[in-house]
């Protein structure tokens, strides 16, 4: 039986001279492993459609619980990622989060859409890397059931505090008057605009998700919180994130 799947190629692993294993993100089955026979040859008809960062339509067969690619057709190839080392590193970080946290065998329609849209904005330069990093981190975790609390300060029920602290441990925000700082909270101070940005990211409809802007100071606060939130909730700090941050530091040193 042949199954057609639209998917994003996340990673490849060589399997001797026989071919490659691919980790792919699909709408209906989350992250899957498939095998591509004899795909290392330069003239392989499946080569371009089965490279990492390719969005492709795969025709796969199943045998004893394993999947084999019978044919592949590219839908969109994100070649522009390879023109920027920081963009490539950031995309690799997103893929690491997906491979680590997305369960197999579960429908993940919006996570695939989120990833494709994020890569589009990343490669076209229509949104900054900082903007896309925090947006992806927060919406990704929200879709996996780890949405931060965006309603009110749990102590005084304030909805629009002008100054607040967001706890990466609890996922709650606290107005400045109610916040009792502890090291275990991994709390980030941010203005009201940061809270409104988090609300937009985790609650808005998919077609409006990328339609907002932040000033530099607010963006920095949201980024600090989103990165801490991911690390605390997933207990995971991939090497790709460290590499991306090192590239950023090198760029800042050169300026």
């Amino acid at each position: 039986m042949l199954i057609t799947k639209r998917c994003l190629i996340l990673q490849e692993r060589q399997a001797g001279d026989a071919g490659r294993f691919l980790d792919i993100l699909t709408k209906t089955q989350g992250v899957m492993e498939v095998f591509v026979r004899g795909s290392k040859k330069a003239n392989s008809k499946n080569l371009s459609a089965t490279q990492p960062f390719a969005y492709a339509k795969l025709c796969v067969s199943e045998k004893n619980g394993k999947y084999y690619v019978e044919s592949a057709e590219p839908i969109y190839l994100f070649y522009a990622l390879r023109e920027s080392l920081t963009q490539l590193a950031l995309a690799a970080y997103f893929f690491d989060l997906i491979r680590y946290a997305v369960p197999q065998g579960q429908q993940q329609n919006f996570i695939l859409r989120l990833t494709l849209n994020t890569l589009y904005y990343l490669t076209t330069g229509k949104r900054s890397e900082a903007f896309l990093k925090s947006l992806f981190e927060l919406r990704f975790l929200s879709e996996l059931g780890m949405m931060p609390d965006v309603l009110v300060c749990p102590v005084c029920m304030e909805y629009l505090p002008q100054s607040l602290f967001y706890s990466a441990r609890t996922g709650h925000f606290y107005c400045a008057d109610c916040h009792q700082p502890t090291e275990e909270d991994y709390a980030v101070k941010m203005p009201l605009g940061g809270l409104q940005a988090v609300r937009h990211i985790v609650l808005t409809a998919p077609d409006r998700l990328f339609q907002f802007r932040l000033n530099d100071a607010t963006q920095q606060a949201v980024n600090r919180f989103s990165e801490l939130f991911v690390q605390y909730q997933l207990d995971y700090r991939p090497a790709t994130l460290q590499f991306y941050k090192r590239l950023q530091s090198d760029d800042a040193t050169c300026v």
Side-chain angles (χ1 to χ4, degrees):
M1 178 179 175
L2 297 179
I3 307 169
T4 300
K5 292 186 176 296
R6 291 175 178 262
C7 64
L8 185 61
I9 313 299
L10 303 175
Q11 187 185 56
E12 64 177 354
R13 297 183 304 281
Q14 302 298 333
D17 295 327
R20 294 175 294 152
F21 286 103
L22 305 177
D23 291 329
I24 64 174
L25 175 64
T26 69
K27 289 183 179 182
T28 56
Q29 291 181 267
V31 175
M32 297 175 55
E33 181 183 78
V34 299
F35 184 75
V36 189
R37 302 180 183 89
S39 61
K40 295 170 63 176
K41 299 178 181 179
N43 62 350
S44 170
K45 62 180 180 180
N46 295 327
L47 186 60
S48 64
T50 57
Q51 293 289 317
F53 306 108
Y55 180 46
K57 182 167 65 175
L58 304 186
C59 184
V60 301
S61 60
E62 187 269 338
K63 183 178 181 181
N64 298 325
K66 297 183 179 180
Y67 294 91
Y68 300 87
V69 176
E70 303 298 337
S71 64
E73 178 184 342
I75 299 173
Y76 191 87
L77 305 176
F78 291 96
Y79 280 130
L81 286 172
R82 293 166 173 80
E83 298 175 0
S84 167
L85 193 53
T86 58
Q87 288 184 8
L88 190 63
L90 184 57
Y93 166 59
F94 295 155
F95 284 14
D96 265 353
L97 293 182
I98 294 168
R99 292 173 53 247
Y100 181 82
V102 172
Q104 297 184 12
Q106 294 185 15
Q107 186 164 336
Q108 300 294 339
N109 187 18
F110 185 72
I111 288 181
L112 177 59
R113 179 177 177 178
L114 169 67
T115 309
L116 291 171
N117 286 341
T118 303
L119 294 180
Y120 165 77
Y121 279 100
L122 182 62
T123 55
T124 58
K126 292 184 177 182
R127 294 292 186 272
S128 70
E129 292 177 14
F131 176 97
L132 295 172
K133 179 176 177 293
S134 59
L135 184 149
F136 183 88
E137 288 170 331
L138 291 173
R139 189 59 180 250
F140 176 71
L141 285 194
S142 297
E143 293 297 322
L144 292 177
M146 291 172 273
M147 181 187 296
D149 183 4
V150 295
L151 296 180
V152 296
C153 170
V155 179
C156 69
M157 302 299 146
E158 176 63 54
Y159 179 71
L160 294 173
Q162 293 304 307
S163 181
L164 61 117
F165 290 82
Y166 230 126
S167 167
R169 180 180 67 85
T170 68
H172 294 292
F173 74 86
Y174 301 86
C175 72
D177 292 336
C178 295
H179 179 245
Q180 297 181 355
T182 65
E183 288 186 8
E184 292 79 13
D185 269 347
Y186 303 96
V188 174
K189 184 178 182 179
M190 66 173 63
L192 175 58
L195 172 60
Q196 293 173 320
V198 175
R199 285 172 173 160
H200 178 95
I201 291 169
V202 304
L203 296 176
T204 198
D207 58 347
R208 297 182 57 247
L209 180 57
F210 294 82
Q211 306 309 312
F212 71 103
R213 304 278 184 173
L214 293 174
N215 62 43
D216 289 344
T218 302
Q219 182 68 74
Q220 289 175 11
V222 173
N223 266 61
R224 286 195 298 272
F225 168 67
S226 66
E227 187 173 307
L228 282 173
F229 190 62
V230 167
Q231 291 171 24
Y232 192 91
Q233 298 299 320
L234 296 182
D235 191 22
Y236 183 50
R237 190 177 175 85
T240 46
L241 175 61
Q242 305 311 308
F243 180 60
Y244 175 69
K245 293 170 75 71
R246 188 162 61 248
L247 289 175
Q248 285 187 310
S249 298
D250 291 344
D251 287 346
T253 302
C254 293
V255 170

